[in-house]
Structure formats: structure tokens, C-alpha cells
Amino acid sequence: MPADLQYRDKVAVLTLGEDENRFSPDFLDTLDAQLADVEQHAHALITTGIGKFYSNGLDLEWLGANGSRLPWYVGRVQELFARILTFPLPTVAAVNGHAFGAGSMLAVAHDFRVMREDRGFFCFPEVDIKIPFTPGMAALIQAKVPPQTAVEAMTTGRRYGGAEARHATLVDDTAPEAGVLDNALARVQPLLGKDSGTLGAIKSTMYAAVVEALRSTE
């Protein structure tokens, strides 16, 4: 479960946890509740992790024991992506460590990304673990990164370190471990006070096709 939700003035800092932060159903339920609180009380959202991982994405152990619920589970995960993508506040992923698969997609769904510069990988390993992207997942990635970056990241499974991820525009900036959250906080400061209704409407228009793909049941 998400370990902590704190407010720094009007900025919500949602710490995903201190393990691999995989998307179990309980994790998704808790995250939904936390995000509802953020919408009511904050002017910006930052997500981060503790230690080695930002998020390793799908809970493959849970899926292995609940294979018949795969469509429901993927729908829940993609609804999270759609919610973050169109969140009515400025959002930054402070990527403190490894972000793999759906964990990377969660980061990509934010408005901006800051990554630790010296350790951790940003990776879409689907081609190597033989799990094709859903149409919604592919649309999300392709909407947020340059076309050639999407080709390389999605078809090769390349693991990008911080500097490489920044060069490829997978992330917007890098920082030392102790400065990742501070960088994210500085990035949202000039954006505080934007009208949430207007911002949410703009994002919903910008990403209408992506949201439709993410919410498709096909």
C-alpha cells in the first residue's frame, strides 16, 4: 500500500511505498482514496518511492493466482493511468529508483518526471517478458515521448539510466538522490493556484484519444 501522504503547504507528496510498489488490488484501492483526498486539499501532486524502487508495476504474483481476473485487473490499472493523465492538478513523478513496465507508465502519465541521476533504470521490459502492450498502454507512451524514443523503448526493452532517460526525453530532469523530491517541488511551485476545472478540462481534451483507449474493454 502507499506508505504515506503528506502535504507541504499545498503540494501533496504521495509516497508509493518502500518496497517494489507493485499494483496489487489493495494498493490500487488505497491509491484511489489518496488521490481523492489530494483532489480536495492540494494544488499539486508529486508521487515518489523510498529507496531502490519507484515502482515495478504489475503485481505478477497476484496475477499468477488470479488469472481469470486479468481483464478486470488491467482495467483497474489503466483507469489509474487515465486518472493521473487527466488529473486536475499539476503532477510530477519524482522517480527515486527503478521504474519498470507499468511503473514507468505511471510515471509517464504525470505531467513531468524527475529521475535520480546516478542509480535506477527506466524501462518498458514487455518485449523481453513476452507481455504485449495493450492499445491503451501503447497510446499512453506514444502520447508522452518522442516517436523514435517510443520505438526504441517499446521494442527493445532498453534500460535507461537517468542521463539516458533525460536525453531520450523519457524524463524532464535528473537530480542527485537527495535532490529528486526537491527538484519536483521546485518544478510545481510556479504552477500552484491554476484553476483545477480548467486544467482538468485541458488535459482531458489533450489526451481524449488516449483515455478512450485506456478505458476500452476490448
Side-chain angles (χ1 to χ4, degrees), residues 50-170:
I50 296 173
K52 186 176 181 180
F53 298 97
Y54 174 75
S55 173
N56 265 355
L58 301 183
D59 189 337
L60 300 180
E61 182 177 349
W62 185 90
L63 271 177
N66 298 273
S68 64
R69 301 185 69 188
L70 176 62
W72 171 86
Y73 177 73
V74 172
R76 284 291 312 275
V77 171
Q78 293 193 161
E79 183 59 35
L80 171 62
F81 297 158
R83 185 173 189 179
I84 294 296
L85 187 66
T86 59
F87 206 68
L89 304 174
T91 61
V92 183
V95 183
N96 57 289
H98 297 309
F100 273 71
S104 289
M105 295 177 210
L106 176 63
V108 164
H110 290 66
D111 298 332
F112 306 102
R113 288 155 295 287
V114 179
M115 183 175 176
R116 181 176 171 178
E117 64 187 9
D118 59 328
R119 293 189 68 185
F121 291 114
F122 200 102
C123 178
F124 301 108
E126 281 72 9
V127 69
D128 292 320
I129 61 176
K130 301 180 182 179
I131 300 179
F133 296 95
T134 67
M137 292 173 178
L140 170 63
I141 298 166
Q142 290 174 283
K144 299 301 289 285
V145 303
Q148 194 56 35
T149 295
V151 170
E152 180 180 62
M154 295 172 71
T155 67
T156 71
R158 177 177 174 179
R159 297 183 177 195
Y160 296 82
E164 297 168 328
R166 183 177 182 180
H167 180 74
T169 324
L170 286 165

